[in-house]
Amino acid sequence: MSGRVAGKAALITGAAGGLGEAMARMMAREGAKLALTDIDGDRVQALADSINADHPDTAFAYAHDVTDEGDWMRVVANSARDMGGISVLVNNAGIGGQLVFAEQDTLENWRKVQSVNLESVMLGCKHALPHLKAAPMASIINISSIAGLAAAPGMGAYNATKAAVWLYTKTVALECAKAGGTVRANSVHPVFIKTPILDPFIAMAGGQEDMAHEKLARGIPLKRIGEPDDVAYCVLYLASDESKFVTGAEFKIDGGLTAQ
C-alpha cells in the first residue's frame, strides 16, 4: 500500500457530499481506509460504493445522526471493528442555519446549529479518543470556518459554533499532548467554498449561482471562492504523519481574507 495516508483509518462525518466527499475521495487515493458517515445513509453508501469500485475494500458507510450520543457510540464501535482501529477523526458534519439577525433569531434555530456544529464535535472527540490513543500516530481534524474567526451579521449561531470549535480543538490538543503526544488536534477554517452550504446565498441572488459566487468573491484578495479540494488537501496533510509536529493550530483556507 502506498500514499500519503497509507495505513491510516479515517472516520469522516458529513461525508455524503461537498467537503466530506472531496476529503474521502482524496484520502482513498492516498491509501487510507475510510469510515464514512452521514445523516443521509443512502447517499453515503453510494459514495462508499463508488470509492470501492476504484479502491476495493477501502470504504465503509454508516447512517449517522451526529447529534445523538448513542449513534456516535455505535458508529465509532463499528468503524473501529470494520477498519481495525481509528487513527484519524474528521469532524466535518455541519449546517449553516438561518441567515437571521439577533433580534429575529429563534431558540430553535440556535439550538439546532449548536447541536450539529458544536456538540457533535465534542461527542466525536469523546468517543473516538480511546481508539485514537491506541494508534501509533493519530489526528483529530475539526472543520471550523473563517466565520469562527471573523464575525458577520446575520450569522450569530453559526459564528458562535465555529468559534467554539476553534477553541475546543485547542483544548483537546493540549489534553492529548499532556497525555503523551500520540494524538494531535487541529482546526480547519475555510471561507466560501463551492458546496451546498452556499445555497442560501444563491437563493438571495435569485438562483443565479455565478452571480452569487462573484458577489461572495469580492472581499477575497484572490477574487474567487474555493473548491472542495482546496480544503481536502489541507485535511490530507493533517491526517498524514507529515504534520506530526503540528497540533493546536488553525489552518485558514480563505484566499487571503483574514490577512487584510
Side-chain angles (χ1 to χ4, degrees):
M1 186 183 297
S2 61
R4 292 172 64 186
V5 285
K8 298 293 185 182
L11 193 168
I12 305 173
T13 68
L19 295 182
E21 179 179 354
M23 297 168 197
R25 292 191 181 280
M26 186 175 290
M27 291 180 72
R29 292 195 299 269
E30 293 293 338
K33 280 194 173 295
L34 303 169
L36 306 177
T37 90
D38 200 277
I39 192 71
D40 190 332
D42 291 339
R43 282 185 67 206
V44 80
Q45 183 63 60
L47 173 61
D49 292 343
S50 174
I51 289 173
N52 287 330
D54 295 324
H55 310 280
D57 303 317
T58 290
F60 304 88
Y62 314 91
H64 183 196
D65 179 354
V66 295
T67 69
D68 184 279
E69 185 164 18
D71 228 17
W72 264 109
M73 295 170 69
R74 174 186 61 83
V75 165
V76 167
N78 291 347
S79 298
R81 177 198 66 201
D82 293 341
M83 297 192 297
I86 301 172
S87 53
V88 178
L89 170 65
V90 185
N91 279 309
N92 169 68
I95 58 174
Q98 299 173 6
L99 290 172
V100 59
F101 289 105
E103 297 155 278
Q104 286 79 43
D105 206 353
T106 65
L107 193 56
E108 179 185 16
N109 177 63
W110 180 268
R111 286 177 172 168
K112 181 179 180 180
V113 178
Q114 296 286 323
S115 181
V116 176
N117 289 2
L118 177 57
E119 291 175 8
S120 70
V121 173
M122 181 278 288
L123 291 171
C125 292
K126 173 183 176 180
H127 292 291
L129 267 168
H131 299 280
L132 294 165
K133 288 180 177 178
M137 189 78 72
S139 178
I140 295 170
I141 305 161
N142 293 330
I143 307 303
S144 178
S145 170
I146 285 301
L149 303 175
M155 298 177 64
Y158 187 77
N159 288 151
T161 59
K162 293 303 185 177
V165 167
W166 171 46
L167 284 183
Y168 178 72
T169 303
K170 291 179 180 295
T171 299
V172 172
L174 293 174
E175 290 175 357
C176 290
K178 188 174 182 179
T182 60
V183 182
R184 299 173 295 105
N186 296 282
S187 57
V188 177
H189 300 256
V191 73
F192 304 117
I193 307 292
K194 293 178 183 177
T195 69
I197 205 167
L198 297 186
D199 286 352
F201 297 98
I202 295 171
M204 290 169 62
Q208 299 184 54
E209 184 174 294
D210 289 344
M211 180 183 296
H213 290 176
E214 182 182 346
K215 184 175 181 179
L216 292 173
R218 288 174 189 165
I220 299 173
L222 289 181
K223 299 304 179 187
R224 61 180 183 272
I225 63 174
E227 303 283 348
D229 274 357
D230 295 328
V231 180
Y233 275 115
C234 182
V235 170
L236 177 66
Y237 166 69
L238 291 172
S240 77
D241 291 346
E242 297 164 11
S243 57
K244 62 185 175 61
F245 198 55
V246 178
T247 196
E250 58 281 333
F251 287 76
K252 304 171 185 176
I253 315 297
D254 70 349
L257 179 68
T258 53
Q260 299 180 102

